Coordinates of all heavy atoms in Angstrom, one line a residue:
K57 N 14.6 47.3 10.3 CA 15.4 48.2 11.1 C 16.9 47.8 11.2 O 17.2 46.6 11.1 CB 14.8 48.4 12.5 CG 13.4 49.0 12.5 CD 12.9 49.2 13.9 CE 11.4 49.7 13.9 NZ 11.3 51.0 13.2
S58 N 17.8 48.7 11.3 CA 19.3 48.4 11.2 C 19.7 47.3 12.2 O 20.4 46.4 11.9 CB 20.1 49.6 11.4 OG 19.8 50.2 12.6
Q59 N 19.2 47.4 13.4 CA 19.6 46.4 14.4 C 19.1 45.0 14.3 O 19.6 44.1 14.8 CB 19.3 47.0 15.8 CG 17.8 47.0 16.1 CD 17.4 47.8 17.4 OE1 16.5 48.6 17.4 NE2 18.1 47.5 18.4
F60 N 18.1 44.9 13.4 CA 17.5 43.5 13.1 C 17.7 43.1 11.7 O 17.3 42.0 11.3 CB 16.0 43.6 13.4 CG 15.7 43.8 14.9 CD1 15.1 45.1 15.2 CD2 15.9 42.9 15.9 CE1 14.8 45.4 16.5 CE2 15.7 43.2 17.2 CZ 15.0 44.4 17.5
K61 N 18.4 43.9 10.9 CA 18.5 43.6 9.5 C 19.3 42.3 9.2 O 18.9 41.5 8.4 CB 19.2 44.7 8.7 CG 19.3 44.5 7.2 CD 19.9 45.6 6.5 CE 19.9 45.4 4.9 NZ 20.3 44.1 4.5
L62 N 20.3 42.0 10.0 CA 21.1 40.8 9.9 C 20.1 39.6 10.1 O 20.2 38.6 9.4 CB 22.3 40.8 10.8 CG 23.0 39.5 10.8 CD1 23.6 39.1 9.4 CD2 24.2 39.5 11.8
L63 N 19.3 39.7 11.1 CA 18.4 38.6 11.4 C 17.4 38.4 10.2 O 17.1 37.3 9.8 CB 17.6 39.0 12.7 CG 16.5 38.0 13.1 CD1 17.0 36.6 13.3 CD2 15.8 38.5 14.3
G64 N 16.9 39.5 9.7 CA 16.0 39.4 8.5 C 16.7 38.7 7.4 O 16.1 37.9 6.7
D65 N 18.0 39.0 7.2 CA 18.7 38.4 6.1 C 18.8 36.9 6.3 O 18.7 36.1 5.4 CB 20.1 39.0 5.9 CG 20.1 40.4 5.4 OD1 19.0 40.9 4.8 OD2 21.1 41.1 5.6
M66 N 19.1 36.5 7.6 CA 19.2 35.1 7.9 C 17.9 34.3 7.8 O 17.9 33.2 7.3 CB 19.8 34.9 9.3 CG 21.2 35.5 9.5 SD 21.7 35.3 11.2 CE 22.1 33.5 11.3
I67 N 16.8 35.0 8.1 CA 15.5 34.4 7.9 C 15.2 34.1 6.4 O 14.7 33.1 6.0 CB 14.4 35.3 8.5 CG1 14.5 35.2 10.0 CG2 13.0 34.9 8.0 CD1 13.7 36.2 10.8
L68 N 15.5 35.1 5.6 CA 15.3 35.0 4.1 C 16.2 33.9 3.6 O 15.7 33.1 2.7 CB 15.6 36.3 3.4 CG 14.4 37.3 3.3 CD1 14.9 38.6 2.6 CD2 13.2 36.7 2.5
K69 N 17.4 33.7 4.0 CA 18.3 32.7 3.6 C 17.7 31.3 3.9 O 17.8 30.4 3.1 CB 19.7 32.9 4.2 CG 20.7 31.8 3.7 CD 22.1 32.1 4.3 CE 23.1 31.1 3.9 NZ 24.4 31.3 4.6
S70 N 17.3 31.2 5.1 CA 16.6 29.9 5.6 C 15.4 29.6 4.8 O 15.2 28.5 4.3 CB 16.3 30.0 7.1 OG 15.7 28.7 7.5
F71 N 14.6 30.6 4.5 CA 13.3 30.4 3.7 C 13.7 30.0 2.3 O 13.0 29.2 1.7 CB 12.5 31.6 3.8 CG 11.1 31.4 3.2 CD1 10.1 30.6 3.7 CD2 10.8 32.1 1.9 CE1 8.9 30.4 3.1 CE2 9.5 31.9 1.3 CZ 8.7 31.0 1.9
T72 N 14.7 30.6 1.7 CA 15.1 30.4 0.3 C 15.6 28.9 0.2 O 15.2 28.2 -0.7 CB 16.3 31.3 -0.1 OG1 15.7 32.7 -0.1 CG2 16.7 31.0 -1.5
K73 N 16.3 28.5 1.2 CA 16.7 27.1 1.3 C 15.6 26.1 1.2 O 15.5 25.1 0.5 CB 17.6 26.8 2.4 CG 18.1 25.4 2.5 CD 19.1 25.2 3.7 CE 19.6 23.7 3.7 NZ 20.5 23.5 4.9
F74 N 14.6 26.5 2.1 CA 13.4 25.7 2.2 C 12.6 25.6 0.8 O 12.2 24.5 0.4 CB 12.5 26.2 3.3 CG 11.0 25.8 3.3 CD1 10.7 24.5 3.2 CD2 10.0 26.7 3.3 CE1 9.3 24.1 3.2 CE2 8.7 26.4 3.2 CZ 8.4 25.0 3.2
T75 N 12.4 26.7 0.2 CA 11.7 26.8 -1.0 C 12.4 26.1 -2.2 O 11.8 25.5 -3.0 CB 11.3 28.3 -1.4 OG1 12.5 29.0 -1.5 CG2 10.4 28.8 -0.4
R76 N 13.7 26.3 -2.3 CA 14.5 25.8 -3.3 C 14.5 24.2 -3.2 O 14.3 23.5 -4.1 CB 15.9 26.3 -3.3 CG 16.0 27.8 -3.6 CD 15.8 28.1 -5.1 NE 16.3 29.4 -5.4 CZ 15.7 30.6 -5.2 NH1 14.5 30.6 -4.7 NH2 16.3 31.7 -5.6
E77 N 15.0 23.7 -2.0 CA 15.2 22.3 -1.8 C 14.0 21.5 -1.6 O 14.0 20.3 -1.9 CB 16.2 22.1 -0.6 CG 17.6 22.8 -0.9 CD 18.6 22.6 0.2 OE1 18.2 21.8 1.2 OE2 19.7 23.1 0.2

Side-chain angles (χ1 to χ4, degrees):
K57 298 184 182 301
S58 59
Q59 64 191 136
F60 298 108
K61 187 178 184 306
L62 176 60
L63 176 59
D65 291 343
M66 295 181 73
I67 287 171
L68 274 177
K69 182 178 180 180
S70 177
F71 185 71
T72 299
K73 181 178 180 181
F74 162 56
T75 56
R76 296 284 199 277
E77 296 182 4

